């Protein structure tokens, strides 16, 4: 069962929340991060992406960057831009995008639950990215960005959340991208106990977004335990900053693919090759698949609808392996590898990935700029994610794009409390 605890967050002083809250470090480019920190010096990207505080092109050692991040975080704490909660509590964190509302609980989950599989993953992590966040956490002495977790909706948690949302907001602001953010504190002893007990009946948690943040937090916990062999398990470093959402409120957008070349084929030859597995139908304009099993193709300034032929895989679509049934896997198995020669999408520089939030026009733009073709996909469902994770399997890279994104800087989990 899941161990989900209240914590003493460092969080923005009243009135600073809209200035400090920032998109996760790994969904913005270096250029976008620099533009944002120039616009708003208190953007938390200044901490999460410390290179933004140096002149562009400055050659700084990684350790210097991590030290700069930690120093800036501690400065904001000292000056009062960030303030520490007096007592451990939970927070309700609600996001609204285009009329859709999702409401989660900000809390700390057990690193042991990640290590023993109560918290389940669906993606591999890359060593260099995990190492980067581990060193960032150690230099800051804190986890600065929450892991986005999902759980199967539970009536009791929903009831507590709905009741506590009737209290006045702690924060209520709209970020520059139009997302509304609202936060309430759950601090009453009875309510905190009720939340803890309710999550104690949840069998599994699932990483929706933030695999590298979760892996690095667990790694830091293990490092701290080795450094403190008499640890009790109650120290803050044993827990991972998270926001937990019920599955029935989540929105997953498609994660599209762009391809830099056609593997030596002409556009006509490429279309002939994929007709072995797909019916190819021209479309009048941009095509976004309306159901699983359909794909869009942008090629030669034209859009096509691709419909998989039933005989293409001789019944493999009904195989018990939930990964093989994913549309991203079908695309890889029937087109990307056999036709385009992309055997490992994790490392092949000929493929790139475009989150659905950027729209189909971005696929067209990429094909005008540096790519030869683009594929639009139907979104992976939360049910598919759960089935893959429960089977102990991993999805292909870039299978899900959750929207809206959690903001970093609203809740910070300090690893060693000195007060």
């Amino acid at each position: 069962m899941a161990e989900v605890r209240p914590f003493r967050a460092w969080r923005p002083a009243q009135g600073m929340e809209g200035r400090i809250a920032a998109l996760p470090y790994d969904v913005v480019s270096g250029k976008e991060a620099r533009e944002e920190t120039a616009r708003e010096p208190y953007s938390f990207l200044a901490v999460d992406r410390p290179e933004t505080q140096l002149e562009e092109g400055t050659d700084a050692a990684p350790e210097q960057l991590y030290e700069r991040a930690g120093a800036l975080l501690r400065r904001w704490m000292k000056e009062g831009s960030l303030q520490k909660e007096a007592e451990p509590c939970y927070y309700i964190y609600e996001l609204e995008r285009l009329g859709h509302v999702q409401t989660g609980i900000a809390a700390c989950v057990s690193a042991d639950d990640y290590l023993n599989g109560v918290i389940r993953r669906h993606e591999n992590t890359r060593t260099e990215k995990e190492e980067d966040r581990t060193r960032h956490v150690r230099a800051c002495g804190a986890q600065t960005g929450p892991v986005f977790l999902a759980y199967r909706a539970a009536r009791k948690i929903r009831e507590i959340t709905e009741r506590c949302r009737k209290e006045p907001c702690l924060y209520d602001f709209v970020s520059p991208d139009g997302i509304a953010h609202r936060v309430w504190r759950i601090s009453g002893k009875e309510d905190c106990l009720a939340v803890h007990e309710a999550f104690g009946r949840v069998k599994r948690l699932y990483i929706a977004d933030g695999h590298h943040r979760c892996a690095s937090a667990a790694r830091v916990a293990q490092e701290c335990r080795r450094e403190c062999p008499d640890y009790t398990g109650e120290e803050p470093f044993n827990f991972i900053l998270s926001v937990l959402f019920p599955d029935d409120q989540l929105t997953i957008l498609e994660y599209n693919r762009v391809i830099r070349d056609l593997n030596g084929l002409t556009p006509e030859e490429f279309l002939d090759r994929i007709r072995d597995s797909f019916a190819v139908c021209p479309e009048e304009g941009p095509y976004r698949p309306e159901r699983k099993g359909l794909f869009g193709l942008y090629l030669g300034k034209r859009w096509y609808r691709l419909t998989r032929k039933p005989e293409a895989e001789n019944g493999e679509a009904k195989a018990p392996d939930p990964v093989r049934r994913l549309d991203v896997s079908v695309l890889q198995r029937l087109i990307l590898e056999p036709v385009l020669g992309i055997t490992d999408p994790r490392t092949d520089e000929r493929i790139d990935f475009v989150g659905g939030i950027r729209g189909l026009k971005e696929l067209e733009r990429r094909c005008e700029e540096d790519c030869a073709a683009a594929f639009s996909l139907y979104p992976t469902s939360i049910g598919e994610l759960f089935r893959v994770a429960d089977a102990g399997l991993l999805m292909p890279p870039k299978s899900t794009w959750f929207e809206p994104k959690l903001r970093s800087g609203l809740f910070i989990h300090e690893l060693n409390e000195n007060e």
Side-chain angles (χ1 to χ4, degrees):
M1 299 298 183
E3 178 65 19
V4 179
R5 295 194 176 189
F7 68 111
R8 292 184 64 200
W10 281 93
R11 57 182 182 79
Q14 210 69 37
M16 290 294 293
E17 59 272 18
R19 300 184 65 186
I20 289 176
L23 284 166
Y25 72 97
D26 52 355
V27 301
V28 295
S29 67
K31 179 176 181 290
E32 290 168 334
R34 286 186 177 278
E35 289 174 350
E36 178 59 17
T37 54
R39 182 193 69 83
E40 175 48 78
Y42 276 99
S43 167
F44 208 76
L45 283 169
V47 174
D48 275 347
R49 299 283 293 267
E51 68 274 15
T52 60
Q53 304 309 291
L54 302 175
E55 286 291 330
E56 192 167 2
T58 301
D59 187 17
E63 206 56 47
Q64 291 178 305
L65 293 176
Y66 301 127
E67 289 174 2
R68 180 176 287 268
L72 181 58
L73 179 63
R74 288 186 287 274
R75 191 183 86 197
W76 288 358
M77 291 173 170
K78 185 176 181 180
E79 74 183 23
S81 299
L82 293 167
Q83 298 179 345
K84 191 165 188 178
E85 199 72 65
E87 298 292 337
C89 61
Y90 296 100
Y91 302 88
I92 297 170
Y93 181 17
E94 182 174 277
L95 301 96
E96 182 175 356
R97 172 181 176 268
L98 301 177
H100 172 79
V101 177
Q102 62 186 56
T103 307
I105 302 287
C108 279
V109 298
S110 168
D112 285 326
D113 280 354
Y114 175 76
L115 297 170
N116 64 27
V118 171
I119 298 173
R120 303 207 165 186
R121 62 193 183 106
H122 66 269
E123 286 183 4
N124 264 328
T125 56
R126 290 168 52 187
T127 303
E128 68 275 15
K129 291 185 70 176
E130 188 177 322
E131 174 70 15
D132 168 64
R133 282 304 99 179
T134 298
R135 294 171 73 182
H136 188 276
V137 169
R138 295 304 300 261
C140 289
Q143 297 158 7
T144 58
V147 178
F148 186 155
L149 296 176
Y151 61 93
R152 290 184 172 88
R155 180 181 57 82
K156 184 63 176 177
I157 299 172
R158 183 175 64 251
E159 290 175 353
I160 297 168
T161 300
E162 289 177 352
R163 183 176 71 251
C164 292
R165 283 175 67 254
K166 296 176 182 177
E167 298 296 322
C169 270
L170 189 62
Y171 302 136
D172 187 353
F173 66 98
V174 177
S175 52
D177 58 358
I179 308 299
H181 303 262
R182 291 179 282 271
V183 174
W184 294 261
R185 182 170 40 208
I186 303 177
S187 55
K189 188 173 182 180
E190 289 186 6
D191 284 333
C192 284
L193 180 60
V195 172
H196 185 262
E197 290 179 345
F199 275 111
R201 291 189 286 273
V202 173
K203 292 183 179 180
R204 299 187 185 101
L205 302 174
Y206 300 84
I207 302 174
D209 205 358
H211 282 78
H212 289 93
R213 291 190 290 278
C214 200
S216 63
R219 182 172 165 183
V220 168
Q222 291 174 305
E223 291 178 358
C224 290
R225 290 172 179 181
R226 287 193 293 270
E227 295 164 7
C228 307
D230 58 346
Y231 76 92
T232 66
E234 297 299 311
E235 297 86 355
F237 60 70
N238 292 291
F239 298 91
I240 302 172
L241 177 65
S242 306
V243 183
L244 304 94
F245 290 90
D247 62 333
D248 59 0
Q249 293 186 12
L250 298 181
T251 299
I252 303 180
L253 301 184
E254 64 276 15
Y255 221 137
N256 299 317
R257 274 74 171 134
V258 289
I259 311 298
R260 291 191 168 84
D261 65 68
L262 297 180
N263 199 28
L265 301 172
T266 66
E268 294 75 20
E269 290 170 336
F270 174 68
L271 288 173
D272 283 342
R273 288 285 303 275
I274 66 176
R275 285 191 177 98
D276 291 341
S277 301
F278 294 87
V280 180
C281 178
E283 290 286 326
E284 291 296 323
Y287 176 68
R288 175 177 282 108
E290 59 268 25
R291 62 174 173 80
K292 183 176 170 61
L294 298 177
F295 302 83
L297 167 65
Y298 186 67
L299 176 71
K301 298 186 177 182
R302 292 201 64 181
W303 279 96
Y304 300 87
R305 181 177 72 250
L306 308 183
T307 306
R308 185 174 49 160
K309 294 178 179 178
E311 67 274 17
E313 296 192 275
N314 296 319
E316 283 193 33
K318 296 181 180 179
D321 183 345
V323 176
R324 291 186 68 84
R325 298 200 299 268
L326 298 173
D327 277 358
V328 290
S329 297
V330 172
L331 182 68
Q332 174 66 30
R333 196 163 58 248
L334 297 183
I335 296 181
L336 299 185
E337 182 169 350
V339 180
L340 294 173
I342 298 172
T343 57
D344 187 352
R346 295 182 186 278
T347 59
D348 198 315
E349 294 184 355
R350 296 167 53 226
I351 186 171
D352 200 1
F353 307 91
V354 179
I357 190 67
R358 297 188 182 271
L360 298 182
K361 289 296 183 183
E362 176 66 9
L363 302 186
E364 296 179 355
R365 187 192 70 80
R366 288 295 301 272
C367 287
E368 293 293 328
E369 184 177 280
D370 62 349
C371 292
F375 294 94
S376 59
L377 287 82
Y378 188 73
T380 301
S381 72
I382 191 68
E384 289 176 314
L385 185 154
F386 284 178
R387 284 191 288 275
V388 169
D390 283 340
L393 300 174
L394 301 174
M395 290 184 176
K398 310 298 184 184
S399 293
T400 57
W401 180 281
F402 284 86
E403 196 65 37
K405 299 293 184 185
L406 306 184
R407 266 31 181 195
S408 296
L410 284 179
F411 315 103
I412 299 164
H413 175 48
E414 192 173 24
L415 300 187
N416 294 288
E417 294 186 347
N418 298 316
E419 297 177 28

